[in-house]
Amino acid sequence: HYFIQSNLREMILLLPLVSLLISPSLTVDRKNFKRCDQSGFCKRLRGLEKDNSPYYTTPPTQINSSSITFDIRHETKPDLLTATIRVLKDHTVRISAQEKDPIHPRYSPVDSFGEAPLVDGSCDLSHSTDSSTLTFPPNKIVINHNPLRVDVFSKEGLVASLNARGLFHIEAQKLKPDPSKPEPPKDPAEESEDGGEEGVEEEDDIGGISDEDILMMEWEEDFKSHHDSNPRGPRAISLDVSFTGFDKVYGLPEHADTFPLKSTKDTDPYRLYNLDVFEYELHNPMALYGSIPYMYALSPLQSVGMMWLNAAETWVDISFSSDKSLVGRVLSSLISSDEVSRVDTHWMSESGVLDLFLFLGPAPRDVTRQYSHVFGPSLLPPLFSIAYHQCRWNYNDQQDVLTVDENFDKHDIPVDVIWLDIEHTNGKRYFTWDSNKFPDSHGMISALSKKGRNMVTIIDPHIKVDSGWNLYKEARDHGQCSIFVKNKDSKNYEGHCWPGTSSWVDYTSPCAREWWAQQFPYDKYTGSTPNLFTWNDMNEPSVFNGPEVTMHKDALHAEGWEHRDVHNMFGFYMHSASRDGQVLRSGGQARPFVLSRAFFVGSHRVGPIWTGDNHASWEHLRMSLPMLLSLNIAGYPFVGADTGGFFGNPEPELLVRWYQSAIFTPFFRAHAHIDTRRREPWLFGEENTKLIRSAIVMRYQILPYLYTQFYHASVDNTLIIRPLWFDAPSDTSLYSNEHEFMLGDAL
């Protein structure tokens, strides 16, 4: 501890004040990615009428010691929904709803769970004319019958209200209308005096669009040159959740934005839809590479976590208030206060079931533990994987790799892993080597392993369409199941990525995942060794000629699911299949290591992720910390950002400062784009080499402490990097701090 403190003082003295006002040159093309008003379901649900819910409940249809099930009806429509509220162990609540008899089943990402959630089994239920109450001390849930509203109370009082603003809505599935056939005449009894439906204003014209066009837009949608046939029609879900007594919320990774989430009153909602965003913007709610629809509300006496478990495209609106609106008066009356601080959120997903979890704390550590009961703890990684990694797109050839390796020894800088990007393969055919550049991959990796070092190679989800390549032919002609994703016409889905025309493995299929895992053993992956590990990139999935640089939503997966239903799970499933391949090759005797760019709920059990294609700028260095804190608070401890920035050429001082920051983050890798100048630690002059060496050496000196933090995370998903308020929630001055953090509980 004395050594660490002494070196920290030395590093701090070397850190002058750095201006953070220099703006990087970003090249993301916003026109390639949708706004809410270009997403049909987001536009519909964001336009719902507030404070006047048409939904009400009927008497419970099923009751036991841990749950209550009831039907939900609409005042003016025949829609019949069913909902269940379950009390799980350790002060956790699960609330789910969907149609009672859907035309098509709704997707639920059940593989996100660590184990099946355990129920409490010790609840008391009481009824009155207006409400039903489920009590599990010190908490209770009150279901208000008409209009439907669910209030959740902890020992401290009301903490969350569902449908308080009347935005609960599930678009009931229908058969697709035929615009060539006239609608049947309406029953006059169903129409009001002015000819419209009762209680609904008639909209004769919306921007000059005909009623027929509006109807078809709900079913089919165009974005730029891409068409979405949406054959099963609109089936979006919506719910408002108000966190009462709170004025700060966190989470919703992945976004390049502040750690405390901001109001979206004057912006788009936060979007969760895994996308390959080239040189992403900062301070923007647009979607990035991964999605965890989890929000964390904080106050001095109460912490609450909420997971919206849905794998489809999702948007989340946030507003902050302490007003005297109808909602404010209702919620104020429940906590005996004239004025209530409140965070109002609105969750909107394109498809799937409504399935949310509330973790009622009350302390931050309690919420983290409760999260782990449902979604599992983090993995315990191999020790080398939390040391220093050296990566570049690309090290040129075998000799280049060995020279880099020798230079680490020459300059007395420790390193555990050297990485190879896509150029090491034979024409972007994964599980292969370019025999001209890497004629003896086995010997190269063995030379590293003799020094206790390892290698990582990239393996992406797209398979080059090449009838002369055995891997492609094996996948195409597989007899037991369909290995590839299908297009809407049930033919192999094809698009463009690094190899050119490609098909994508359908990782949602257990059979396809098993086939993928079988590619990792040494007899299949020629030239691999026990010291070769894996990097899964481009697995949002990235499709260069697809809508929003990803897969068409009407593509088809195993069991007939549309891609729109499973999109955010795609990377999780690939990550899992690659992990399984490494376990298979060692006979279960060695811990796997697989890095992924895309992620979803449950990915923390599989392996690490990083924050994607950042930029060599002071702003991106600054933003890396709130991004990593957001991931940790959302249950993902093993995370990092590319040290030095992926795009651009960092000035020496920026590179040094980035190393000095990154050594305290869970995943520590330097990486750079193919068009950047070389930036190995010894290329910036002796003084900077000395500073970088000192930083990396410090990382190795704290490895035993850091590995202990990973052990704790593997038990109950305890955060590895923590906001300062995590252990001091009563200190509200810490709530907006996003550039200081704890590494474990002692540093």
Side-chain angles (χ1 to χ4, degrees), residues 251-299:
L252 295 185
E254 182 177 38
H255 296 95
D257 210 341
T258 56
F259 181 40
L261 297 172
K262 298 185 295 192
S263 170
T264 60
K265 181 180 179 181
D266 299 317
T267 70
D268 259 4
Y270 285 97
R271 191 185 188 198
L272 296 166
Y273 190 61
N274 297 358
L275 292 172
D276 179 2
V277 182
F278 183 84
E279 290 195 88
Y280 54 82
E281 290 182 6
L282 305 184
H283 302 290
N284 195 307
M286 68 188 297
L288 291 179
Y289 309 98
S291 301
I292 301 180
Y294 179 77
M295 185 175 287
Y296 189 106
L298 176 69
S299 73

Side-chain angles (χ1 to χ4, degrees), residues 19 54 225 271 337 367 396 460 486 495 614:
S19 170
S225 62
R271 191 185 188 198
S337 172
V367 173
N396 299 325
D460 288 349
K486 305 298 183 183
N614 59 359

Side-chain angles (χ1 to χ4, degrees), residues 403-413 453 682 693:
T403 299
V404 169
D405 172 63
E406 291 169 2
N407 270 306
F408 274 101
D409 297 331
K410 177 181 177 181
H411 294 278
D412 197 22
I413 299 174
R453 293 170 181 162
W682 50 85
R693 180 193 300 115

Side-chain angles (χ1 to χ4, degrees), residues 326-631:
L326 173 62
V327 176
R329 293 196 301 273
V330 170
L331 298 184
S332 294
S333 68
L334 295 175
I335 63 172
S336 303
S337 172
D338 291 333
E339 188 171 290
V340 56
S341 177
R342 191 177 74 250
V343 182
D344 293 325
T345 66
H346 182 196
W347 302 72
M348 302 164 277
S349 293
E350 185 174 17
S351 65
V353 299
L354 192 160
D355 194 6
L356 68 85
F357 294 79
L358 288 168
F359 306 104
L360 298 179
R365 287 179 182 269
D366 297 324
V367 173
T368 300
R369 182 189 66 251
Q370 292 155 2
Y371 182 110
S372 72
H373 289 328
V374 177
F375 299 109
S378 183
L379 85 162
L380 183 63
L383 181 60
F384 78 82
S385 68
I386 66 170
Y388 176 58
H389 300 249
Q390 183 69 41
C391 183
R392 178 175 179 82
W393 176 22
N394 201 85
Y395 285 118
N396 299 325
D397 52 30
Q398 186 168 316
Q399 185 55 52
D400 194 11
V401 169
L402 296 176
T403 299
V404 169
D405 172 63
E406 291 169 2
N407 270 306
F408 274 101
D409 297 331
K410 177 181 177 181
H411 294 278
D412 197 22
I413 299 174
V415 66
D416 266 56
V417 193
I418 296 178
W419 294 53
L420 292 176
D421 211 314
I422 55 178
E423 309 303 330
H424 83 278
T425 62
N426 175 19
K428 315 301 189 299
R429 296 170 180 85
Y430 303 107
F431 300 101
T432 71
W433 301 85
D434 183 325
S435 59
N436 292 319
K437 296 179 180 179
F438 298 91
D440 183 13
S441 60
H442 193 284
M444 175 184 62
I445 302 169
S446 296
L448 298 178
S449 65
K450 288 177 182 178
K451 300 179 181 181
R453 293 170 181 162
N454 302 278
M455 173 162 277
V456 168
T457 52
I458 196 168
I459 298 176
D460 288 349
H462 44 266
I463 304 298
K464 182 179 176 66
V465 174
D466 178 3
S467 59
W469 180 25
N470 286 337
L471 184 75
Y472 171 76
K473 288 192 297 182
E474 182 181 328
R476 182 195 60 191
D477 302 333
H478 198 277
Q480 296 183 359
C481 66
S482 176
I483 299 297
F484 290 134
V485 177
K486 305 298 183 183
N487 62 24
K488 64 183 179 61
D489 299 317
S490 298
K491 298 178 181 179
N492 285 346
Y493 180 91
E494 293 186 356
H496 289 279
C497 209
W498 297 123
T501 302
S502 305
S503 288
W504 275 257
V505 174
D506 182 7
Y507 299 101
T508 69
S509 162
C511 178
R513 292 199 300 274
E514 181 180 358
W515 173 85
W516 182 260
Q518 291 168 353
Q519 308 310 311
F520 285 83
Y522 311 118
D523 60 337
K524 291 283 287 187
Y525 189 176
T526 304
S528 65
T529 78
N531 293 86
L532 182 67
F533 297 89
T534 304
W535 169 19
N536 290 156
D537 198 4
M538 313 296 286
N539 55 342
E540 293 75 27
S542 178
V543 182
F544 291 162
N545 63 331
E548 300 191 271
V549 201
T550 193
M551 190 169 285
H552 293 73
K553 288 184 174 181
D554 53 9
L556 296 173
H557 291 265
E559 301 182 21
W561 296 112
E562 284 189 281
H563 186 70
R564 83 183 71 250
D565 302 312
V566 303
H567 175 86
N568 287 344
M569 287 284 281
F570 186 91
F572 163 82
Y573 278 128
M574 182 194 187
H575 201 187
S576 300
S578 298
R579 181 269 320 272
D580 292 346
Q582 288 191 8
V583 172
L584 178 66
R585 76 176 187 181
S586 73
Q589 298 303 303
R591 293 180 194 166
F593 173 76
V594 183
L595 178 75
S596 175
R597 188 168 72 177
F599 57 88
F600 188 63
V601 185
S603 292
H604 65 286
R605 303 192 310 271
V606 182
I609 57 99
W610 89 108
T611 59
D613 298 343
N614 59 359
H615 195 274
S617 70
W618 292 104
E619 288 87 349
H620 273 260
L621 168 58
R622 181 183 180 92
M623 185 57 70
S624 67
L625 299 181
M627 290 181 75
L628 298 181
L629 285 169
S630 294
L631 284 158

